[in-house]
Amino acid sequence: YTKERADLSAYFHMAGEQDVAIVLQDELIGERARIFDGVYYLDLDTVHKYFNSRFYEDQGEGLLLYTLPDHIARTVIGSNVVTGKEGEMAYEYVPARYEGETLYIAIDYVKQYANFSYEGFGEPFRLQIYNQWPERKVAEVKKDTAVRVLGGVKSEILKDLPAGEKVILLEEMETWSKVKTGDAIIGYVENKKLGEARQELPIPVTDYEEPVYTSQARDYKINLGWHVVSGIGGNDTFEAMTENAKGLNVISPTWFKVSDSEGNFTSFASRDYVDKAHGKGLEVWGLVENIEYKDSIDMYALLSSTTKRAKLIEGLVGEALTYGLDGINVDFEKISEECGEHYIQFIRELSVRCRQNGIVLSIDNYVPKGYNMQYNRKEQGIVADYVIIMGYDEHYAGSPVAGPVSSYNFVKEGIEETLKEVPAEKVISGIPFFTRLWEEVPKTEEELSSQAGTEEAQYTTKVTSQAFDMNTAKTKLAEAGIETTWDDNAKQNYATWVVESTTFEMWLEDEQSIEPKLKLMKEHKLAGTAAWALGYENGEIWNLIQKYVN
């Protein structure tokens, strides 16, 4: 038996006096902690990955924020003061600090907002962290022995083990077992030196309670219609938009338009409009969007600033309270991947103010795809009241190919993928009241030549489209003298015809196409439906919607 001892610093890959190895559960992970002034710290990425993704760093303003259901805990990075619900609190340690450009958070501060236990050991510095407590196999050492780097008598010694010391059995082999000691050293011990193995159930951490993000969801199906209002005068169309809307219980006027990167917005809100809506039994969820003035808005600059987010939020909540709105509907589109963490922080912070004031918060979302995961629907489903799937624009204005606005499988995928992250009672399925008429013409030789080697080269035709309401779409078909056929894949009535060198195509949105979408809503027990937009529908569609919603 060799008596040669392993270098524990090398074994734990130590890099400097402040470096701390991390053993998470029963594994030495690649991430490292640091120790400053006797306090253990984790970098923000490690905190997000293993413990809690809700910690938010504002680099520009030097802040660390943590959003709770009814307030935001806020600390200036480098100070020992945290501002929360009860005012300022001075800590004995610095909750957050920079080392170079890396943000480190004190592990005791992280522990206030996450369920785990930890124990620190020295020479070299290491942390044993548990965030799960499953049953495990343990044994006592029968005779004095050693834990070795590998299973073999010539392997270096990591630690001497006295008789009676308990170890956790990680893997049992023929003559050696992989074990973990009480001070988080993982190595190998001869089986003949171990007593009889037994099962043990660790005592879990019970000093942490997950905060409850209360929802203001309604106890009835939501039947929402968006009302396109492009100016103050647009409010005068309220009566016309709602006259035949049977079963409608929420109207969402497009009142608030983000106008710059500083947190300002334009508002077309009207108390008279809200009073009329309430008189008809309708809730009003004012929509805020970022498309109208998109050329003058840097969404990253807006959403990555705590001050600018607060300005926008206070402005929106102020309008809601001034005009008696029941809810706010957020429709922020084309959020970049790098802006995603700032977008979801905006949603968290807005949810606090809405919850404090009894305002329903609903969020509009694309059908989930790999390129829009930054919208973080899972977190939306926790902090917001409703998550709305925009089950349309499958083929959109500017699309390189013609196709349905909202095929059955597109809507089905949107619902099923969203339900993987959001509870059904918070999901609203959005449907379109509009149809696109597509025109395709062959590209010229010059166009094909100029696009050679580009993505556009795969398309041999140029495609344009116009959006029409339900009645106008049918009128266009009648004028062309065209009959539709049923496309069972899209579950829509389809028409195509050729005039000279132009091919026309249309996938109709009508009662026959809308009903399968409503069936999906009902089958999955969703919170309701939302339609874009009022005024585009025909009168009969409300009888159909009422059948499934009310």
Side-chain angles (χ1 to χ4, degrees):
Y1 289 77
T2 183
K3 294 184 179 180
E4 188 175 351
R5 307 194 75 83
D7 182 345
L8 287 182
S9 291
Y11 175 77
F12 281 105
H13 312 296
M14 305 306 292
E17 294 181 357
Q18 295 170 316
D19 190 33
V20 181
I22 301 174
V23 177
L24 180 63
Q25 303 301 116
D26 300 320
E27 179 186 357
L28 177 63
I29 62 175
E31 290 81 4
R32 316 293 290 184
R34 303 292 295 276
I35 188 166
F36 304 114
D37 302 322
V39 178
Y40 292 109
Y41 286 81
L42 302 169
D43 67 79
L44 182 61
D45 288 344
T46 300
V47 173
H48 282 171
K49 182 176 180 179
Y50 294 110
F51 304 109
N52 194 316
S53 62
R54 213 164 274 146
F55 284 95
Y56 174 82
E57 174 191 13
D58 183 333
Q59 291 181 337
E61 299 183 28
L63 300 172
L64 176 69
L65 308 178
Y66 189 87
T67 308
L68 290 141
D70 57 356
H71 72 281
I72 301 167
R74 168 184 176 131
T75 181
V76 175
I77 296 170
S79 80
N80 71 329
V81 176
V82 175
T83 304
K85 188 176 182 180
E86 306 300 328
E88 292 187 348
M89 177 182 291
Y91 283 67
E92 294 181 354
Y93 57 87
V94 175
R97 59 189 293 165
Y98 279 116
E99 288 297 315
E101 296 182 356
T102 303
L103 176 62
Y104 287 91
I105 308 175
I107 195 168
D108 286 330
Y109 190 66
V110 176
K111 198 173 184 305
Q112 290 183 209
Y113 305 108
N115 197 41
F116 67 92
S117 63
Y118 80 90
E119 189 173 0
F121 304 97
E123 297 183 8
F125 286 121
R126 58 195 182 277
L127 283 171
Q128 170 66 67
I129 302 178
Y130 289 105
N131 55 13
Q132 299 175 46
W133 295 269
E135 192 174 57
R136 63 194 183 189
K137 190 176 284 189
V138 299
E140 271 79 29
V141 175
K142 292 192 299 184
K143 297 180 180 180
D144 292 355
T145 188
V147 180
R148 298 180 181 272
V149 176
L150 299 171
V153 297
K154 298 302 182 184
S155 183
E156 295 173 316
I157 295 172
L158 289 167
K159 179 184 177 180
D160 295 314
L161 284 178
E165 185 159 331
K166 184 172 71 175
V167 295
I168 298 171
L169 296 174
L170 303 180
E171 184 181 352
E172 297 176 86
M173 293 166 285
E174 189 174 345
T175 57
W176 292 80
S177 286
K178 186 177 182 181
V179 304
K180 186 177 72 173
T181 66
D183 57 354
I185 291 177
I186 299 171
Y188 292 81
V189 171
E190 283 184 287
N191 289 340
K192 65 183 181 181
K193 301 292 180 67
L194 295 172
E196 187 174 346
R198 67 181 189 278
Q199 295 297 123
E200 178 184 82
L201 188 63
I203 299 173
V205 168
T206 57
D207 62 350
Y208 173 79
E209 289 187 17
E210 186 70 30
V212 177
Y213 291 79
T214 54
S215 174
Q216 298 169 104
R218 303 312 191 217
D219 59 359
Y220 48 82
K221 293 286 188 188
I222 298 297
N223 184 2
L224 179 149
W226 281 289
H227 179 196
V228 179
V229 178
S230 301
I232 292 293
N235 293 320
D236 295 339
T237 62
F238 170 80
E239 286 85 356
M241 292 297 107
T242 58
E243 184 179 5
N244 299 311
K246 298 177 184 176
L248 189 74
N249 52 33
V250 177
I251 190 166
S252 180
T254 60
W255 273 346
F256 310 122
K257 303 175 188 301
V258 178
S259 56
D260 59 27
S261 306
E262 301 301 314
N264 296 303
F265 60 92
T266 59
S267 172
F268 305 135
S270 160
R271 185 76 204 206
D272 181 59
Y273 182 108
V274 173
D275 290 343
K276 288 178 181 177
H278 287 170
K280 296 189 72 169
L282 302 179
E283 290 195 12
V284 181
W285 297 358
L287 179 143
V288 55
E289 52 93 346
N290 65 332
I291 301 300
E292 181 75 17
Y293 302 101
K294 60 183 181 296
D295 294 336
S296 60
I297 303 170
D298 180 341
M299 289 302 291
Y300 186 93
L302 169 59
L303 298 180
S304 64
S305 165
T306 299
T307 300
K308 294 175 182 178
R309 287 195 309 273
K311 181 177 181 179
L312 177 57
I313 289 168
E314 292 308 311
L316 291 171
V317 172
E319 288 288 286
L321 295 175
T322 297
Y323 292 97
L325 272 65
D326 307 281
I328 293 174
N329 176 237
V330 179
D331 183 17
F332 283 178
E333 302 189 13
K334 298 184 178 179
I335 295 296
S336 66
E337 186 174 351
E338 66 172 352
C339 192
E341 64 176 309
H342 309 297
Y343 166 80
I344 200 63
Q345 181 63 17
F346 168 78
I347 298 300
R348 290 188 192 110
E349 293 172 359
L350 178 57
S351 80
V352 173
R353 298 292 288 124
C354 286
R355 200 174 291 109
Q356 290 171 341
N357 290 282
I359 300 168
V360 174
L361 176 60
S362 60
I363 317 295
D364 300 339
N365 287 270
Y366 301 113
V367 165
K369 299 287 184 181
Y371 52 79
N372 59 39
M373 292 297 102
Q374 64 270 24
Y375 278 80
N376 198 345
R377 280 163 283 266
K378 183 176 181 179
E379 185 76 345
Q380 288 184 34
I382 294 171
V383 304
D385 299 304
Y386 291 106
V387 175
I388 301 177
I389 312 166
M390 297 184 291
Y392 40 83
D393 281 337
E394 178 181 6
H395 294 84
Y396 49 91
S399 176
V401 294
V405 165
S406 175
S407 69
Y408 176 81
N409 286 327
F410 182 73
V411 175
K412 183 172 182 285
E413 177 190 1
I415 292 173
E416 291 175 349
E417 290 300 310
T418 300
L419 288 178
K420 291 178 181 178
E421 300 182 302
V422 183
E425 62 269 19
K426 284 192 171 189
V427 176
I428 294 174
S429 179
I431 57 175
F433 281 168
F434 64 94
T435 292
R436 288 195 175 276
L437 174 61
W438 300 89
E439 296 182 32
E440 294 185 65
V441 296
K443 290 180 180 176
T444 64
E445 290 296 329
E446 291 78 7
E447 288 171 329
L448 291 171
S449 177
S450 66
Q451 294 173 354
T454 67
E455 187 176 342
E456 288 79 7
Q458 64 182 302
Y459 306 111
T460 59
T461 60
K462 287 191 297 185
V463 177
T464 57
S465 69
Q466 297 180 70
F468 294 112
D469 61 66
M470 289 181 170
N471 290 328
T472 304
K474 289 184 177 180
T475 299
K476 290 288 182 182
L477 292 176
E479 290 173 350
I482 301 298
E483 295 289 329
T484 60
T485 58
W486 181 251
D487 180 341
D488 196 51
N489 185 47
K491 298 202 183 310
Q492 292 179 281
N493 287 307
Y494 170 74
T496 183
W497 65 100
V498 178
V499 177
E500 297 179 351
S501 61
T502 301
T503 300
F504 294 88
E505 288 185 277
M506 185 183 288
W507 285 263
L508 273 177
E509 290 296 346
D510 54 17
E511 297 95 306
Q512 286 181 277
S513 72
I514 294 296
E515 185 161 21
K517 300 177 179 62
L518 293 173
K519 285 182 178 178
L520 285 171
M521 181 270 296
K522 187 172 183 179
E523 288 166 4
H524 287 90
K525 300 179 180 178
L526 303 187
T529 187
W532 185 273
L534 296 176
Y536 283 71
E537 77 279 16
N538 60 34
E540 293 75 25
I541 205 71
W542 291 110
N543 293 324
L544 176 65
I545 294 175
Q546 194 170 26
K547 171 184 171 184
Y548 285 91
V549 175
N550 294 5

